[in-house]
Amino acid sequence: MTVPALLEAQDLAARRGDSILFSGLSFRVSAGKALVITGPNGTGKSTLLRAIVGAREVSGGEVRVGGGVQTAMYTQDFANVPRDGSLYDVIAGLRPMWERGAIQGH
């Protein structure tokens, strides 16, 4: 039995100007699994995350998000995080059904 993918990418490619940030990138994330993205500055980590949440087009390949999955992203400068409360409060507001442990773990 195949576990449904929460997130899947096939042959992703992205460019910045004339530079290729990544190409041929494929992965699959199923329930209970994690995806870790590491690399030096300027190698396309944020570009990949923007592509996953639909905020940036890629130059090749496809991203598929599983049914019922809602994507979101905090930007590097936290510009989309309100400054008038704690990060815990922000996450709790975005995920009202989550219990305290889930919020803290996030």
Side-chain angles (χ1 to χ4, degrees):
M1 179 172 142
T2 303
V3 177
L6 299 177
L7 173 65
E8 195 165 7
Q10 186 68 42
D11 293 323
L12 285 183
R15 304 177 73 90
R16 182 181 300 130
D18 292 335
S19 299
I20 298 172
L21 296 174
F22 52 83
S23 64
L25 180 63
S26 297
F27 58 86
R28 185 177 199 277
V29 181
S30 55
K33 301 299 179 185
L35 174 67
V36 177
I37 303 168
T38 63
N41 290 343
T43 56
K45 299 178 304 290
S46 295
T47 300
L48 173 59
L49 291 173
R50 285 186 197 100
I52 290 171
V53 300
R56 185 189 198 282
E57 289 188 29
V58 291
S59 53
E62 180 182 13
V63 175
R64 290 182 297 277
V65 178
V69 174
Q70 183 180 19
T71 62
M73 177 180 162
Y74 299 119
T75 59
Q76 290 182 44
D77 61 3
F78 287 96
N80 59 338
V81 177
R83 302 283 188 214
D84 57 349
S86 70
L87 188 54
Y88 178 94
D89 293 335
V90 170
I91 296 168
L94 293 170
R95 300 289 185 256
M97 299 302 290
W98 284 9
E99 295 183 12
R100 183 176 191 85
I103 295 168
Q104 290 172 329
H106 184 67

